[in-house]
Amino acid sequence: MLKKILIANRGEIAVRVIRAAREMGISTVAVYSELDRDALHVRLADEAFALGGQTAAESYIDSDKLLDAIRTSGADGVHPGYGFFSENADFARAVAEMGVEFIGPPPEAMDEMSDKVSSRQAAIRGGAPIVPGTTEFAQGPDEIRAFGNEHGWPAVIKAAFGGGGRGMKVVHGPDEVDDAWASAQREAKSFFGRDEVYVERYLTWPRHVEIQLVGDKQGNCVWISSRDCSAQRRHQKLIEEAPAPMLPEGVEAAMGEAAVKAAKAVGYYGAGTVEFIYQDGEFFFLEMNTRLQVEHPVSEMITDIDLVEWQIRVAAGEELPMTQAEVDACRRGHSIEVRINAEDPTDGKFLPAPGPISKVVPPDGFGVRWDTGYLSGDEISQFYDNLVGKLVVWGRTREVAIARTIRALEELVVEGVATTIPADLEILKHPDFAAMTFSTKWVEEKLDLSGISVGPPPAPSSDDDDAPELVRRNTTVEVNGKRFDVSMWVPDQPVVAAGAAPAKKREKRAASGGGGSAGSGKIEAPMQGTIVKLLVEEGATVEAGAGLVVLEAMKMENQINADIAGTVKEIKVAAGDTVGGGDILAVIEPA
């Protein structure tokens, strides 16, 4: 058995792995960026190593820094979590070359299955039907246009090495291709470190159904459960449930068998998920995620199987603890997971809402589980995923699970940032959800969220505005006669020369919000983020609704549009600038 595991991740999933390892008597090592130095996963781990930097590129996906932390810590296992390096075969190989166990599938299987293009080829070999699309990386926008013209619009451009809706852009016609291509590549590069994309047909009203499986190094493989993940916005999941309800007789078992065959075809071991699109009685292979999924707890809740424990045991060379028949026999009841994201769902826009969490009070009661990486006082950064936590509920039937989830959601308290909770409640209470007559398009195309309004978090007090930021200071200390070079985070109190002017701040709206009201021509940033691209120049004439800038927040690109027609009088930002919510980005002079 492994003795010490380094978790090459952050947030909720790092906490999840630390807890499982602790129950198994395994010590844990956390890594952290500058922004995460006081994060929950850092506090829970037995050891923690600083990676430096703020963005993921500067920390969690800097392979040299991670490999150095593995080497320094003496860990004999590495758990990648999900996202970041979890599906990066080169990182897995580098870990193995150090004599350290990568808690995941073999790199060869990752090469084939983590790349969405080659995984489609593997599915074809295994006899699974696939959604019509390319089986090679797309070479440019012209290839996308040719595919759409041949197979029909809409089409979807997808990151070949990604998942979770990142780097995924739906195009409804040839005129949209160039911008969608560039945006998909930027998002893919930012979140996964690679920008290859491919294209496939976009189904009009599908359900998203997936199969959780686990294999071992002896060649055994079982599927644990099905999951329905159709309640989505921007191709990212909001609510998941297990098992996938109301499938025709035999479909779930057929999906499970197809998933196991696909995994065995590439010599897969460890936990993985095969995703399918289901529509009109047919299912199509979509992709395989060669890692643990965010929604894995719903499979755990209906089987009493700890998937992280199984991952660790498989990595250590143990056989699976159960046969397929034993897994089949242990499924019971129904489970629902609700992802609580720091997003403002007002009018169904789901705008990222990073910032400090002033208060978190999780719900409790029979069949209720709360997985999180944040406590009261922690902050959701614009540089990372906006998942606050996952509410996971079990019930003896789907009806009981829905009612219990609604009760628990109404008890859950998250203050300081806007969250998706109001939208989650609308979904769970809707008759279409109860009747299972929705699809992956339902939230954005059918669900009426016009009545939802989430007010902004309280404005910081003047004391907060004037509070000095913390800066890093290096010094040398002695403990029991032994010297240590240490870093401390202390208030920044620079000496200001007499007569020096204070630093100029970017213009912000008035506290009342009047400066950025609808139709004012003062275009505000709706959230904290980074300017990726300017779409217009000063002096340009624009119509209301025309794109002005592209703002990236929490790895998602958002186009900020003009609120009135007129002339762009001033652009106050440049590509690469970091802005806060309410900052004025541009000023338009009315026509």
Side-chain angles (χ1 to χ4, degrees), residues 151-162:
H151 294 275
W153 303 96
V156 58
I157 303 171
K158 302 177 76 172
F161 293 91

Side-chain angles (χ1 to χ4, degrees), residues 7-313:
I7 300 95
N9 217 298
R10 65 177 300 278
E12 169 269 327
I13 185 57
V15 172
R16 168 76 182 89
V17 176
I18 288 169
R19 287 174 171 159
R22 179 173 292 175
E23 292 171 10
M24 299 174 70
I26 301 170
S27 65
T28 56
V29 181
V31 292
Y32 59 96
S33 69
E34 291 180 8
L35 297 177
D36 279 342
R37 60 183 177 272
D38 295 319
L40 180 59
H41 76 281
V42 176
R43 287 176 260 171
L44 288 179
D46 298 299
E47 303 174 39
F49 286 82
L51 298 174
Q54 297 187 83
T55 67
E58 296 168 344
S59 54
Y60 297 104
I61 56 174
D62 185 321
S63 59
D64 290 338
K65 290 181 178 179
L66 282 171
L67 295 173
D68 185 60
I70 296 167
R71 188 179 301 108
T72 304
S73 70
D76 57 355
V78 173
H79 196 300
Y82 45 70
F84 295 149
F85 278 136
S86 63
E87 296 181 280
N88 188 302
D90 291 337
F91 179 72
R93 289 189 182 93
V95 170
E97 289 170 0
M98 298 171 64
V100 176
E101 194 66 45
F102 181 81
I103 303 174
E108 297 75 22
M110 294 174 71
D111 276 331
E112 190 154 15
M113 285 302 194
S114 295
D115 165 6
K116 311 309 180 192
V117 172
S118 61
S119 69
R120 288 162 60 82
Q121 296 170 343
I124 293 172
R125 289 201 316 270
I130 67 169
V131 178
T134 57
T135 53
E136 301 289 344
F137 299 141
Q139 298 303 307
D142 288 342
E143 187 174 331
I144 307 298
R145 274 186 281 269
F147 178 88
N149 290 334
E150 179 181 352
H151 294 275
W153 303 96
V156 58
I157 303 171
K158 302 177 76 172
F161 293 91
R166 313 291 187 178
M168 180 176 175
K169 301 294 173 182
V170 178
V171 284
H172 296 86
D175 293 342
E176 299 179 11
V177 170
D178 288 333
D179 288 343
W181 168 273
S183 182
Q185 286 197 312
R186 281 196 302 268
E187 282 189 4
K189 182 70 172 178
S190 174
F191 204 78
F192 306 109
R194 299 189 61 166
D195 63 2
E196 294 91 340
V197 298
Y198 69 102
V199 62
E200 64 184 25
R201 190 180 118 205
Y202 194 57
L203 298 180
T204 55
W205 199 251
R207 282 176 59 182
H208 182 130
V209 180
E210 59 191 31
I211 298 292
Q212 174 71 62
L213 56 80
V214 185
D216 61 27
K217 296 179 180 180
Q218 289 75 24
N220 304 303
C221 187
V222 297
W223 65 276
I224 306 299
S225 83
S226 64
R227 297 189 288 253
D228 189 283
C229 309
S230 300
Q232 305 179 5
R233 64 17 188 144
R234 294 193 305 223
H235 315 295
Q236 290 187 291
K237 302 162 188 173
L238 285 166
I239 296 175
E240 302 102 349
E241 51 185 319
M246 303 183 195
L247 291 175
E249 183 70 27
V251 170
E252 182 188 41
M255 285 184 178
E257 292 168 6
V260 168
K261 287 180 181 178
K264 285 187 172 183
V266 295
Y268 195 90
Y269 57 73
T273 298
V274 177
E275 299 190 347
F276 296 94
I277 288 292
Y278 173 80
Q279 182 173 297
D280 300 328
E282 296 182 292
F283 65 88
F284 302 94
F285 174 90
L286 185 61
E287 62 188 30
M288 183 175 187
N289 292 297
T290 56
R291 53 173 168 81
L292 203 64
Q293 293 271 97
V294 179
E295 59 272 21
H296 75 273
V298 290
S299 294
E300 295 180 326
M301 294 287 270
I302 66 168
T303 59
D304 199 29
I305 292 172
D306 185 331
L307 290 170
V308 175
E309 177 191 346
W310 277 33
Q311 282 187 297
I312 294 170
R313 293 191 180 281

Side-chain angles (χ1 to χ4, degrees), residues 414-482:
V414 180
E415 296 179 357
V417 294
T419 73
T420 51
I421 292 175
D424 297 326
L425 286 168
E426 288 292 321
I427 293 169
L428 290 163
K429 293 177 179 180
H430 201 285
D432 286 357
F433 186 84
M436 203 64 222
T437 55
F438 63 95
S439 81
T440 58
K441 318 288 183 63
W442 178 74
V443 168
E444 293 177 328
E445 296 183 6
K446 301 291 184 179
L447 183 63
D448 183 8
L449 296 177
S450 59
I452 288 182
S453 179
V454 180
S461 68
S462 58
D463 290 341
D464 292 333
D465 289 337
D466 296 335
E469 294 186 1
L470 297 182
V471 295
R472 185 173 185 164
R473 304 292 190 200
N474 298 322
T475 189
T476 300
V477 298
E478 287 188 3
V479 180
N480 295 329
K482 186 175 181 179

